[in-house]
Structures are given as C-alpha cells and as structure tokens.
Amino acid sequence: MEMLTIAIAKGRIEKDLLCILKEIGLGASIDPKSRKLVFIDSDVQIKYIFVKPVDVVTYVEKGVADIGVVGKDVIVEQEGNIYELLDLNIAKCHFAVAGPPLTQIYNPNKRLRVATKYVNIANKFFEDRQQIETIFLNGSVELAPLIGLSDVIVDLVETGNTLRANGLEELEFILESSARVVSNRVSYQFKFEEINKFVEALREWRNNNDQNPTAK
Ligand code: PRP
C-alpha cells in the first residue's frame, strides 16, 4: 500500500473534518491541540498535513499532497488544475455582493468599487454585468464600504451575522460553497485504489449525514 498524503485546510473545515475522520475510524494520530503540522496514521499509510486554506490547492496541484479537503470558495478563486471528487456538504456558505442598504450596483456610467479577498470571483461575476474596480483586501472586508474604501464587497456569508453587525446587507447572491475533496491529477491515476477507498469512506459518511443527497 502506498502512503496517501492529505492536505487539510486549517480553520472551519478542519474542526468538522476531524470529527468525520474519527467517525470513519481514521485520523488516530492527529492531536488537534498540538502545533504539529504533519501526522501519520501508519497502520493505514495516511499522512495528514495541515495547511492554510488558500495553500491547499497549491499542495495538491504540485503533487506534494495527493488529496486535499478545502472550500469550494478557494477552488473557484484559484482555478487550480486538479480534480474535484466529492462535495462533503460541510462548512456550507455562499458568496454574495453586499453593501449598505439600497446601494445601486448597476450603473453603466460609473465603475463600481468592489473590495474583496476573492478578486477572480468578483471579476467573473461582474464580467458581463457591470464595470468594476477591485480592491484586494486580506480580510475584514466589511470595513471597506463603511469607511468609503469601496461601494460594495464580495465575500462569503455563513450566518449573515458579520454583515448585520456592520449594517450591511446582501445585494446579490453569487454562488454556494462547501468543503470539497480534491485530488492531484497524476495521483488519481497512480494511487487510484488508495484515493478511492478514502473518498468512498467519506461519501458513505456524507450520504448517511446528508440533507442534500443529490450532491456529487
Ligand atoms: C468570513 C467572511 C465573513 C464572515 C462571514 O470571514 O469573510 O467576514 O466569515 O460569516 P458570517 O456570515 O457567519 O458572519 P472569516 O471569519 O473567515 O475571516 P476574514 O474576515 O479574515 O476573512
């Protein structure tokens, strides 16, 4: 059996995924309280590496990790050359355009200023709709329209609490996001058996715990 390396996005997905792994009898070596970034379940030959969400696609695309678990948001933004194998239906949220109430988004005579961490997604959404100027920010983007840096934001919405707390509202829905299992294209061919075993165990968990069984 070949060692399978799995890159896990730290943060929101990590917490849920560790519970799932436990439920399907994996991840015995992982100590969530430790600062270590690499753990190995030697009995099943699985290595887990914990990386920043934005880096998961890079690790998988370069083949340093065979598989990754990461949000659809990151996958869409990064457009990596990888396979998407499974929607885990956890860490669900969606992208939206948001701003102060009644903000006029569409105006053929004016460029809309959009603050976001997701420049590609913003550009793609507005491509045929409205001329925009994107302003890249690394986080706390809700601040931008409040202090006049932008007219609107493109960001993830989960509960809507952050928008509400800052007096902003959702103006346009863009797309759904949830955690996905992705694979390196070459690994998928050469470690098909190992990858498939892991993915099918997760799929079974997903199907038993799913409110949306139509997901792929
Ligand atoms: C994300 C997102 C929003 C918030 C949405 O930020 O960018 O700010 O969560 O969640 P809510 O709808 O439940 O309030 P995150 O906490 O990941 O930090 P960031 O602002 O640094 O991106």
Side-chain angles (χ1 to χ4, degrees):
M1 198 172 15
E2 278 213 69
M3 176 83 78
L4 200 63
T5 302
I6 303 174
I8 297 175
K10 290 203 276 188
R12 290 173 196 214
I13 289 175
E14 172 189 7
K15 257 178 71 190
D16 287 352
L17 187 70
L18 293 189
C19 295
I20 298 171
L21 289 177
K22 215 170 163 191
E23 282 186 41
I24 62 173
L26 294 175
S29 62
I30 301 171
D31 175 4
K33 287 188 262 19
S34 162
R35 301 279 297 166
K36 260 175 67 174
L37 299 170
V38 181
F39 297 94
I40 298 175
D41 282 355
S42 33
D43 53 337
V44 284
Q45 289 286 293
I46 295 182
K47 185 196 280 181
Y48 307 92
I49 59 175
F50 290 85
V51 305
K52 287 226 169 204
V54 289
D55 294 331
V56 170
V57 174
T58 308
Y59 279 88
V60 173
E61 195 173 20
K62 301 272 180 216
V64 194
D66 303 301
I67 285 189
V69 181
V70 66
K72 179 74 175 173
D73 52 315
V74 174
I75 300 170
V76 176
E77 179 64 18
Q78 303 212 336
E79 296 178 323
N81 187 18
I82 52 175
Y83 289 134
E84 196 181 306
L85 303 178
L86 181 71
D87 181 352
L88 279 174
N89 249 336
I90 57 167
K92 288 204 239 181
C93 52
H94 66 274
F95 276 100
V97 182
L102 306 176
T103 301
Q104 205 55 44
I105 297 183
Y106 301 106
N107 182 342
N109 304 315
K110 203 174 151 241
R111 271 215 298 185
L112 185 75
R113 294 171 308 151
V114 182
T116 187
K117 197 155 79 166
Y118 303 92
V119 172
N120 284 339
I121 288 171
N123 278 326
K124 250 187 254 169
F125 176 74
F126 282 111
E127 199 171 26
D128 303 321
R129 294 178 168 93
Q130 169 66 30
Q131 264 214 323
I132 64 166
E133 173 199 341
T134 50
I135 299 149
F136 175 78
L137 291 175
N138 270 306
S140 304
V141 291
E142 291 83 1
L143 190 59
L146 299 182
I147 57 164
L149 179 63
S150 74
D151 302 307
V152 295
I153 61 172
V154 163
D155 201 14
L156 284 174
V157 182
E158 193 179 346
T159 59
N161 288 341
T162 313
L163 290 183
R164 274 189 293 278
N166 291 291
L168 304 177
E169 69 180 32
E170 215 175 302
L171 304 166
E172 287 272 29
F173 172 90
I174 301 181
L175 84 121
E176 302 274 6
S177 179
S178 56
R180 310 290 160 103
V181 181
V182 297
S183 155
N184 173 271
R185 285 176 180 261
V186 177
S187 300
Y188 191 68
Q189 213 177 331
F190 289 101
K191 295 190 183 175
F192 179 79
E193 218 170 292
E194 292 85 350
I195 290 176
N196 200 42
K197 197 169 163 204
F198 179 75
V199 171
E200 287 313 309
L202 287 177
R203 191 191 306 279
E204 194 182 336
W205 178 91
R206 199 274 318 267
N207 289 346
N208 290 333
N209 291 272
D210 203 6
Q211 285 95 48
N212 174 20
T214 54
K216 116 169 135 160

